Amino acid sequence: MSLKGTTSRGAIAPAATLPTAGNAVETRSLPGFSDADSCVADNCDLLSLARPRKADMTGSLLADREIVVAMITPLGCPADETENAFKDAFARHDYRCKTLRISMLLDEEVPDEAVVSTASDPERLMDKGDLFRQQYNSDGACAYMAAQRIAMQREEDTGDPTKHRTRHVTLVRSLKTPGEVRVLRQIYGPRVVVVGVSASHEARRVELIKELRRSLDKDEAVGRASRLLERDEKDERPRFGQRTRDAFQLADAFVVVGSSEDRSTVDRFVD
């Protein structure tokens, strides 16, 4: 089930040291992945681990399969409350909900020295995501990484990466490209639900400035926040940059953070 260049933990890692910023990036391939938007499921071991068997797609058998809720969260969006609302709603139905952050996986797999050292934390993670997608020549590479980590956690919990955990939900934060949405749907089929979590542009700007102020002065934080928000929505520079706005259009459901309907929307969705 391992992707090319995996570590002993099984998470995606390059076979050689990642290049430093500014150097050429070696392109690696994902098994069964012919380009940024398509995947040959029958040739990908990871898909066979995660995809439900046909017999499990009907009747009560589906309740015993794991569920994946993938959140698309624009930069600066204060989505912790929405995450907690999902956990509370699933708990009322006796489902255990565990969060998996793609940003955490990127920090594990892409060393800091591979990106610009002077970048702020949000910018550093953006650069790592761009580099990771470029390495594997796929704007869905981060979704494969998340799916593989889910399979690893399943193996840790059950002793078998193909055995699904009963009444278990993995909450994935956060998708940033249309390719990531497509890859998760190809892997999990009807067991994945993609949720777009939004907030007003001003609310996101204010939250981002607060985060940037940890390492920058006020004027620089304000200027950089505007640039980063634009880059997050649609990065026009690299082929494998973030395109949160385009990914958002592919969501199955939408939640507005801070609205009076926030928790009730999540409750209705889960129920």
Side-chain angles (χ1 to χ4, degrees):
M1 54 80 70
S2 297
L3 295 179
K4 182 178 180 181
T6 58
T7 66
S8 59
R9 299 195 313 275
I12 302 173
T17 304
L18 283 167
T20 55
N23 292 344
V25 177
E26 178 185 356
T27 300
R28 296 177 172 82
S29 62
L30 292 164
F33 208 95
S34 56
D35 57 45
D37 296 324
S38 65
C39 179
V40 182
D42 292 340
N43 294 331
C44 184
D45 291 339
L46 179 58
L47 292 180
S48 66
L49 289 174
R51 189 175 56 239
R53 297 179 180 87
K54 186 175 182 180
D56 294 327
M57 300 305 298
T58 59
S60 61
L61 287 176
L62 187 59
D64 293 331
R65 310 297 291 188
E66 293 184 29
I67 298 171
V68 175
V69 176
M71 295 169 60
I72 302 172
T73 309
L75 186 65
C77 183
D80 288 348
E81 177 60 28
T82 303
E83 176 185 335
N84 291 333
F86 270 109
K87 289 181 176 179
D88 292 344
F90 277 113
R92 287 194 293 273
H93 293 274
D94 297 322
Y95 275 80
R96 185 165 65 96
C97 190
K98 184 173 184 179
T99 301
L100 178 63
R101 291 178 177 265
I102 290 177
S103 59
M104 178 196 72
L105 300 181
L106 285 171
D107 262 341
E108 291 180 5
E109 300 304 329
V110 183
D112 288 342
E113 56 267 25
V115 297
V116 179
S117 60
T118 57
S120 61
D121 282 349
E123 200 166 7
R124 175 180 55 80
L125 287 169
M126 284 183 174
D127 291 343
K128 286 187 175 186
D130 291 356
L131 180 58
F132 191 81
R133 288 184 286 268
Q134 185 178 358
Q135 266 204 307
Y136 288 97
N137 194 33
S138 163
D139 80 336
C142 291
Y144 274 108
M145 178 169 57
Q148 190 172 51
R149 183 58 61 91
I150 290 171
M152 289 167 54
Q153 293 173 345
R154 188 186 301 157
E155 184 172 21
E156 291 173 359
D157 291 343
T158 69
D160 183 351
T162 68
K163 184 176 181 180
H164 286 238
R165 294 163 288 187
T166 302
R167 308 191 81 81
H168 184 94
V169 180
T170 299
L171 186 63
V172 178
R173 291 184 59 176
S174 301
L175 306 186
K176 292 295 185 179
T177 70
E180 292 168 2
V181 176
R182 285 190 283 267
V183 165
L184 289 186
R185 284 177 173 158
Q186 286 174 317
I187 292 174
Y188 298 108
R191 293 181 298 108
V192 64
V193 179
V194 180
V195 180
V197 183
S198 66
S200 70
H201 185 277
E202 180 60 19
R204 292 189 289 117
R205 190 183 74 89
V206 169
E207 287 295 321
L208 182 57
I209 290 173
K210 288 180 183 177
E211 184 173 357
L212 292 173
R213 285 295 308 275
R214 298 172 188 169
S215 57
L216 303 174
D217 62 39
K218 182 178 179 180
D219 290 341
E220 188 174 0
V222 170
R224 190 169 297 190
S226 297
R227 295 193 299 272
L228 290 179
L229 287 171
E230 183 176 353
R231 176 182 172 185
D232 177 65
E233 291 180 3
K234 188 160 186 173
D235 194 341
E236 300 289 355
R237 297 175 298 165
R239 176 185 172 191
F240 298 114
Q242 295 187 180
R243 290 184 289 142
T244 305
R245 181 187 299 167
D246 293 339
F248 204 86
Q249 303 302 316
L250 302 177
D252 300 304
F254 302 90
V255 176
V256 179
V257 174
S259 71
S260 58
E261 299 293 318
D262 188 355
R263 274 192 171 266
S264 60
T265 299
V266 171
D267 289 342
R268 288 195 302 271
F269 171 74
V270 172
D271 293 340

